[in-house]
Each structure stands twice: as C-alpha cells, then as structure tokens.
Amino acid sequence: MTPTKRDWLDLASKDLKGTDPQSLDWHTPEGITVKPLYTSEDVPQAALEELPGFAPFTRGIRSTMYAGRPWTIRQYAGFSTAEESNAFYRKNLAAGQKGLSVAFDLATHRGYDSDHPRVLGDVGKAGVAIDSVEDMKILFDGIPLGEMSVSMTMNGAIIPVLAMFIVAGEEQGVDRKALTGTVQNDILKEFMVRNTYIYPPEPSMRIVADIIAYTAEEMPRFNSISISGYHMQEAGATLAQELAYTLADGMEYVRAAMAKGLDIDAFAGRLSFFFCIGMNFFMEAAKLRAARQLWAKIMTEFGAKSDRSKMLRTHCQTSGVSLTEQDPYNNVVRTAFEAMAAVLGGTQSLHTNSFDEAIALPTEFSARIARNTQLILAHETGVTKVVDPLGGSFYVEALTKDLVDKAWELIQEVEAAGGMTKAVEQGLPKMRIEEAAARRQARVDRGDDVIVGVNRFRLEDELPVDILNIDTDKVRQSQVARLQKMRDSRDPQICEKALAALEDVARSAKGNLLAAAVDAARARASLGEISDAMERGFGGRHVAVTRVISGVYDDAYGDDPQYGIIRERIAAYRAENGRQPHVLVAKMGQDGHDRGAKVIATAFADMGFKVDITDMFETPQEVCDKALALGVDVVGVSSLAAGHKSLVPDLIRRLRDAGGEEVTVVVGGVIPEQDYDFLRQAGVAEIFGPGSNVLDAAAAVLARIEGVRRNI
C-alpha cells in the first residue's frame, strides 16, 4: 500500500516524539512558510505541464538551454588603468572567458574626470578610470569589438561612457551596427540602493529612453538596458523585493520607451536583466524561474506580440554580501553553491565573485579560482546535460509560485504609488529595503542566521590573505597627464560647439542625448565635460534625502541582555551628562554603497545614541565641518571601496587643525587587516571589519565616549 501524506504526518510526529511536524516549518524573510515536506498537492497543475522554450518560460527561454549551449562565462573586472584592465581581459579571454564585463572606477560612475577635486581618493578604486575616448581605445586594444560581446556596468555616466565606446569602435573600424553587448543603464535602482546617480529622476529616465531609442535604430545587436536587482539584494532586500522592484523598474523603462513612440516589439527583445544570487540555494533558483514567468505576464499585458519580447534574459552574479572577511577561503565554497543555484535557475550568463572581495579588490590568483569555478561547473558536473533539472520538483515549483505571488503583491503596491519613478521619489522601495537590511543584520547578530566562521565555528587565528593594493595617487597622476594631453591636442572650437549642442539637447528635450554625446566624444570632449554639459542643461545634480529608520533593533532585541545593558549605560550617560552620546555616521568619497552606514545608524539610534548621518559623497572637509557644527562625540566612517587610506587620515588632520581633537574617529566596512596599523597610526580609535557584531561595535564606541568624557 502506498503511504499517504497523512501517514507521513503520523510517522513524523513519532520521530519528533509527539511534537507537531509543523514545528519544523521555516519562515523566510520574504514571509514564505517553507514546510519540511512537499508533495504533488503543493504544485499547481499548470507548472507540471510547462516546457522550456514556451511561454511563460518558467523552465527556460530556450528549448535546449545549456544542453544546446552553456551560459556565457563573464568576469566583471576593471583594474585602475585601461592598460592594466586590457592586459587582464586578454589573459582571461585566452583562458576560456567568453565575454567582457567592465567595472568602472568611482569617479567615472559619478561623471567626474580624474582631475576633479572631489575624487582625490577615488580614481582607480573599484574599477578602471575612463576619462576619454583615448582611455576607451586602450581598454579594448587588441580586442576586436566587432566580435566580442562587451557588458558595461554603468548608470549615472552612461551617456559619455557609451558614446566613447561607440567612437572607440568606429576608430577600430567597427560599424556601430556590429557592436554587441549590454549596458546596465538602470538608473531607478541607483536611487533605491547603489546611489551612483548624477541627475534627478525625470531627466535620468529621459536618458534611459534616449539610449533605448538610439540603440534600437543604430545598434540592433546591442542590449540597451540591463535591469538590475543585484544591488537591491546586496543592500539588504529580500528575494521577493529584489524580484518585484527589478521587474517594476523594467515596467517603467518599457513605458518610457513607448512614450517616445517606439513599438514594444521593436525594442523589448533587447532588454535584459541582472540578478544577485545569494546563499538560499533553492529560493534563488526559484527566483529566476518566477522572474521569467512574471515578465511574460507583464509584457503580454503591455501588448507585446512577439515571444522574444516576453522572454526574460538575465545575467547573474554571485553575492558579494555573502562573502566574509573571517575565514575567507570558505567564500570559494559559497560562490560555488551560488553559481550552481544560478545555473539551475537558468541564467544566460554568470559572474562568480572572488573569495577575497570582502577584504579588497580581487587578485589575479583569486580571480582565476572564480573563473575556474564556472569552468568546472560547466564541464565536470553534468548540469548542462538536462534542461531545467529542477523542473517538476514539488518544493521548487511551490517556491516558484510563492515568489510569484509575493512579488506580484509588491509590484501592485508600486503601481498604486503611480509607478516606480513616483515610488522612488516617495522613498517607498528604499525604505522597505533598508528595513529588511536591518532585520537581516539583527538576525545575524543574534545568531538566528548562521554564518560559518563569523557567528559560528570561528577560527581562533585567521590565516593571512594576500590582497591587491592600488596606488591611487600614481593612477591619478597617469590619468591626469593623459587627459591634459588630449585636451591640448584637440580642436577647442569643435569640442566646445559639440558640448554646447549637447547642453541644448538636454535643456530643450529636443533631439537624442546619446547622438549628441557621440559627436562630443568624437571631438574629444572628456567624460566630465560631457556630464557637466548635461548637468547644466538639466538644472543640476540630484541630492538624495538621507533618513534613519527606527524600531527594527528594538523589535529584534527586546529581550536580549546585552542590548538591555547598552541601553542602560546610555541612559546613565544621559543622566550624568544631560545629553545622549552623539554619533555622526559619515560616507566620504564617491562610493555609493550605504547599507552598512544605514544599518549602523538604525541600530545605534534604537539603542539610544543620538545619531546623525551625512549626505552621500561628502569630502573630508564637509564631514569635519558637520561634525564640529553638530558637536558630536564620534564620527563613524563607513568605507566599502578602499578609500579609507586616503580619506580617513585627511578627515582626522582636518578635525585636529580645526580644534576637534576630542572627536573620536572610528571606521567600519571592507577594510583589510593589513591596513589596521596604518589607520591606528593615523588616529583611528576603533576598526570594525565585515561581519562585526553591531552590539559589540556599539559597546566599543560607547566605551570610547565614556572614556573621553571622563578625561575632559
């Protein structure tokens, strides 16, 4: 006799010594209840009848998927200068990589030339510096752009970067119609999480639409947008939030293109997506399946007729947030599991992170391991032999439906707000993601979410890891010299005329911004000059409103003894001194990652500290002025892109010069242990690397404040 689900419940109850088997249920951050057993009763009948290659494409956009051709192996990389990056790309291509994925430095992302005073510590950080067509030509020297697919992760300064790529292709002898690749061009997610925006939301949406229009007509093989959820998950979004807000962004871009008179089937087939793949293995695979299903539904409702318009094609990247500074070789394993989840979910291309990226930029050694992770996956595991091997799994099919339902609820909330542009202006998605990030950190700090080597199974002594060090002063000097040489050799009248024309297009909203920028790039206008011309036409740069949410840590830690002790100490401090201990959380330089800063601000505020937070992209002088004006006890600098060795000592010098010696400076973020002595000698009081417990950090900061007050 075949056992039934009732029989299983009875047996499980005995195994659990009479406890209800539902006690094994797991409640995910998305609000999904995961049961210990799934059967055919949990699976919609329609899911069991779907096939790969047929709408709604849950099982894959191609009938044969990897059995016909494996995913594209991409490695997202940029190494300070165009020369170094070019050498790295050529070596990787020779070793089996199939496409290029370019990482740009922080100054380039924000539309600044390397000689701009605001980017002294940012040139060459986190990617390659591109100031002009000359840099772009060096970047792709010896790489035939008519044959190689190039992905460029760029949003804020997308117009000058894409214009320079087009001109570099021209000067290689490649017609723009032959160029293949993808630009991210997803500005809405920048306003939500990544923050490398330049212009306000409305003109930024016009840039997106102009690029879609230009590429649809002039670059038919080029993907005009890669709608990105990656940085949402990295900023703390749940998988349902990442899925919903990414697709809602896509809906907004489709509307923007249609508003320019474009037929949906003329451009929709060149839209692509970009998702993060974290450590929830089956949920991540189900997320990609749910994304395809939802996008087919959305595009059908928009009126798309072509199946190609309804296919969600995606690139994936393994998670950076899941990487740990502690016991970092564990990250090799994490990345391998995440890569497998992406492949089982049906990604079209994949980047695997290097194990040392929680500490610093990847070395050549660690990048090789990351690339080989994909080669081993493709050639040794057998996963390419069967299309959608998880299809029909009771658990995965149920998860797919649950994620579809949860994401659709969030999409409807965005639609009720007037669409994603309006929702972003209201701060709705950003606030939801920041709340989720704070809750996630609280679960990790409490040990509810286990991170091996961080909050469980820690090593007593960490093994040293070789890291990549970049001399930004040397990189900047090289960039400035080449930039000046280009300016000296160009025809100034032709350049000024092209920039004036671009500014007029930006101001009047007549003409295409990318077309005008191509003319300016051809005339050897620099990236910063092209950005400035648009900034003048659009009426200025965007400045975000920075807010601190509250209540999350109180909810998570209401009964925690250590949390209670810190609150009592703060209350005692306030009673003794007549005020709260006061912390300024600061973001300096052009790094837009603010998850850590927001989590710390939220947690410290809930504990009872008085917390202020600076605007993004501050200079050391601006932070110094704000700290002194507010009369803070501590400045806590959040650093994720290696600017700490230049920006933090500069801040400390300025505080001392201005009479703020009593202000304590602490630093947190992605900081290699090799830099700790340097920072301490510069005057940093406490350093909190990745994986630091927030309660421990609060206790250390409070002890510093108590000690300073006793000594005054």
Side-chain angles (χ1 to χ4, degrees):
M1 180 178 175
T2 303
T4 65
K5 194 169 186 178
R6 179 69 259 171
D7 295 326
W8 177 85
L9 288 167
D10 291 341
L11 183 60
S13 178
K14 291 177 183 177
D15 289 341
L16 294 170
K17 296 181 172 52
T19 305
D20 185 350
Q22 285 190 327
S23 65
L24 299 176
D25 287 356
W26 171 44
H27 303 285
T28 75
E30 293 77 16
I32 294 171
T33 298
V34 175
K35 301 177 293 183
L37 176 70
Y38 284 82
T39 70
S40 59
E41 297 173 20
D42 300 295
V43 181
Q45 183 61 32
L48 300 178
E49 297 171 354
E50 291 185 25
L51 289 171
F54 293 88
F57 307 107
T58 312
R59 301 197 64 188
I61 62 170
R62 300 279 182 246
S63 61
T64 57
M65 288 299 289
Y66 309 141
R69 187 183 72 182
W71 64 93
T72 300
I73 298 174
R74 293 186 186 274
Q75 286 305 103
Y76 175 59
F79 287 85
S80 302
T81 67
E83 291 91 345
E84 290 181 64
S85 300
N86 175 262
F88 181 82
Y89 296 154
R90 292 169 72 166
K91 186 177 296 184
N92 276 13
L93 292 171
Q97 187 174 314
K98 299 301 183 184
L100 296 180
S101 188
V102 182
F104 296 94
D105 78 342
L106 299 173
T108 304
H109 272 290
R110 293 274 291 147
Y112 292 117
D113 285 334
S114 295
D115 59 356
H116 196 285
R118 294 195 76 89
V119 298
L120 290 175
D122 295 309
V123 177
K125 291 292 187 185
V128 60
I130 296 293
D131 291 316
S132 70
V133 170
E134 301 306 320
D135 290 330
M136 194 70 80
K137 288 169 66 177
I138 294 169
L139 185 66
F140 296 112
D141 182 43
I143 299 172
L145 293 179
E147 302 171 20
M148 183 59 59
S149 172
V150 177
S151 172
M152 293 184 287
T153 302
M154 178 53 62
N155 299 284
I158 182 61
I159 287 284
V161 164
L162 184 51
M164 290 170 183
F165 175 73
I166 292 168
V167 175
E170 286 178 3
E171 298 188 9
Q172 253 194 25
V174 180
D175 188 276
R176 69 189 67 167
K177 294 186 185 301
L179 295 172
T180 61
T182 304
V183 283
Q184 194 161 97
N185 191 29
D186 177 6
I187 199 62
L188 287 173
K189 72 105 164 85
E190 298 295 325
F191 293 113
M192 277 186 265
V193 288
R194 180 63 179 86
N195 299 311
T196 56
Y197 44 71
I198 299 176
Y199 316 108
E202 287 195 10
S204 294
M205 284 298 294
R206 187 179 149 211
I207 288 172
V208 172
D210 276 11
I211 290 173
I212 292 173
Y214 182 95
T215 53
E217 183 174 346
E218 300 287 338
M219 303 167 69
R221 299 178 63 197
F222 205 83
N223 299 316
S224 55
I225 190 168
S226 176
I227 304 153
S228 173
Y230 183 86
H231 288 104
M232 295 181 199
Q233 187 179 142
E234 293 290 273
T238 68
L239 270 62
Q241 289 172 340
E242 178 193 7
L243 178 55
Y245 295 151
T246 304
L247 298 184
D249 282 353
M251 294 165 68
E252 199 79 341
Y253 297 136
V254 169
R255 290 189 180 109
M258 293 174 70
K260 292 186 75 70
L262 293 175
D263 177 80
I264 190 168
D265 287 317
F267 67 86
R270 303 310 304 180
L271 303 179
S272 66
F273 289 79
F274 174 29
F275 287 104
C276 181
I277 304 294
M279 284 299 290
N280 191 340
F281 186 88
F282 288 105
M283 190 81 85
E284 290 289 4
K287 179 184 73 182
L288 299 186
R289 302 172 91 253
R292 289 192 292 271
Q293 187 180 130
L294 280 166
W295 189 245
K297 168 186 171 72
I298 289 165
M299 294 303 283
T300 299
E301 292 180 356
F302 269 123
K305 301 292 191 295
S306 166
D307 269 357
R308 181 170 172 77
S309 299
K310 302 174 187 178
M311 293 177 182
L312 181 144
R313 297 164 302 114
T314 188
H315 171 71
C316 290
Q317 179 174 336
T318 59
S319 173
V321 165
S322 71
L323 305 179
T324 65
E325 179 191 36
Q326 298 87 349
D327 206 356
Y329 292 105
N330 288 340
N331 296 334
V332 177
V333 182
R334 292 187 176 100
T335 295
F337 284 139
E338 291 169 348
M340 177 73 88
V343 168
L344 293 181
T347 188
Q348 277 61 67
S349 67
L350 179 63
H351 165 88
T352 35
N353 285 335
S354 301
F355 73 85
D356 51 358
E357 288 188 55
I359 305 168
L361 294 172
T363 62
E364 187 173 328
F365 169 73
S366 65
R368 181 174 63 85
I369 293 174
R371 183 183 64 252
N372 287 351
T373 299
Q374 294 197 55
L375 293 172
I376 292 167
L377 188 55
H379 294 286
E380 297 187 29
T381 64
V383 295
T384 61
K385 308 303 183 186
V386 176
V387 181
D388 188 28
L390 295 183
S393 158
F394 301 144
Y395 177 36
V396 172
E397 297 293 359
L399 273 184
T400 300
K401 181 183 183 303
D402 287 340
L403 278 168
V404 165
D405 293 342
K406 288 289 183 183
W408 191 249
E409 288 176 15
L410 291 170
I411 289 171
Q412 293 309 301
E413 181 182 48
V414 169
E415 290 292 281
M420 189 51 99
T421 303
K422 296 295 183 186
V424 164
E425 290 173 348
Q426 296 164 24
L428 173 66
K430 190 175 185 69
M431 193 62 70
R432 291 263 190 274
I433 291 171
E434 288 174 2
E435 288 172 355
R439 294 187 191 283
R440 160 70 172 164
Q441 185 62 47
R443 291 196 306 274
V444 171
D445 287 347
R446 286 175 62 94
D448 298 333
D449 289 359
V450 175
I451 311 296
V452 173
V454 177
N455 60 5
R456 292 275 295 279
F457 315 110
R458 288 201 65 158
L459 290 175
E460 289 187 14
D461 296 307
E462 294 282 348
L463 295 172
V465 176
D466 291 333
I467 63 168
L468 180 68
N469 284 301
I470 295 172
D471 186 342
T472 54
D473 289 338
K474 183 178 178 181
V475 174
R476 187 171 184 272
Q477 289 168 10
S478 170
Q479 286 298 122
V480 170
R482 184 153 61 220
L483 188 59
Q484 190 58 51
K485 181 179 178 181
M486 183 202 71
R487 286 173 176 156
D488 291 342
S489 63
R490 71 190 179 188
D491 186 318
Q493 291 184 328
I494 294 176
C495 184
E496 288 168 13
K497 183 178 179 181
L499 287 170
L502 173 60
E503 182 179 338
D504 184 62
V505 172
R507 181 176 290 106
S508 67
K510 295 177 181 178
N512 187 285
L513 289 161
L514 180 54
V518 168
D519 291 339
R522 198 180 289 121
R524 291 319 193 251
S526 70
L527 176 130
E529 290 166 339
I530 291 173
S531 296
D532 288 348
M534 290 194 294
E535 183 179 334
R536 291 190 297 271
F538 291 146
R541 280 188 171 241
H542 176 70
V543 178
V545 176
T546 304
R547 292 177 290 193
V548 177
I549 59 175
S550 61
V552 171
Y553 268 73
D554 272 347
D555 290 345
Y557 278 92
D559 58 351
D560 185 275
Q562 185 182 359
Y563 187 75
I565 290 170
I566 292 173
R567 287 184 62 87
E568 289 172 6
R569 285 173 59 190
I570 290 174
Y573 179 94
R574 184 172 186 173
E576 181 181 344
N577 296 283
R579 64 178 185 85
Q580 298 161 274
H582 193 173
V583 176
L584 175 65
V585 179
K587 285 293 297 180
M588 294 191 292
Q590 300 305 307
D591 170 38
H593 293 95
D594 63 349
R595 173 180 180 165
K598 292 293 183 63
V599 165
I600 289 295
T602 295
F604 276 44
D606 280 358
M607 291 177 216
F609 288 91
K610 181 177 180 180
V611 177
D612 284 288
I613 188 165
T614 69
D615 290 334
M616 299 293 295
F617 315 119
E618 299 272 67
T619 65
Q621 185 62 58
E622 288 166 340
V623 173
C624 173
D625 292 344
K626 192 163 292 185
L628 296 177
L630 291 169
V632 304
D633 300 299
V634 171
V635 175
V637 178
S638 174
S639 174
L640 274 85
H644 52 271
K645 290 183 72 173
S646 55
L647 297 170
V648 173
D650 190 9
L651 169 64
I652 292 171
R653 282 193 297 270
R654 291 175 188 275
L655 284 168
R656 288 172 178 166
D657 290 347
E661 298 91 345
E662 75 282 1
V663 177
T664 300
V665 175
V666 302
V667 182
V670 179
I671 304 179
E673 192 169 349
Q674 291 92 324
D675 293 348
Y676 283 17
D677 285 344
F678 172 86
L679 290 173
R680 289 184 179 119
Q681 289 173 16
V684 173
E686 299 283 351
I687 302 169
F688 307 105
S692 295
N693 183 287
V694 172
L695 295 186
D696 291 344
V701 169
L702 183 57
R704 288 283 178 177
I705 294 173
E706 291 168 336
V708 168
R709 293 302 300 174
R710 291 193 194 101
N711 292 332
I712 291 178

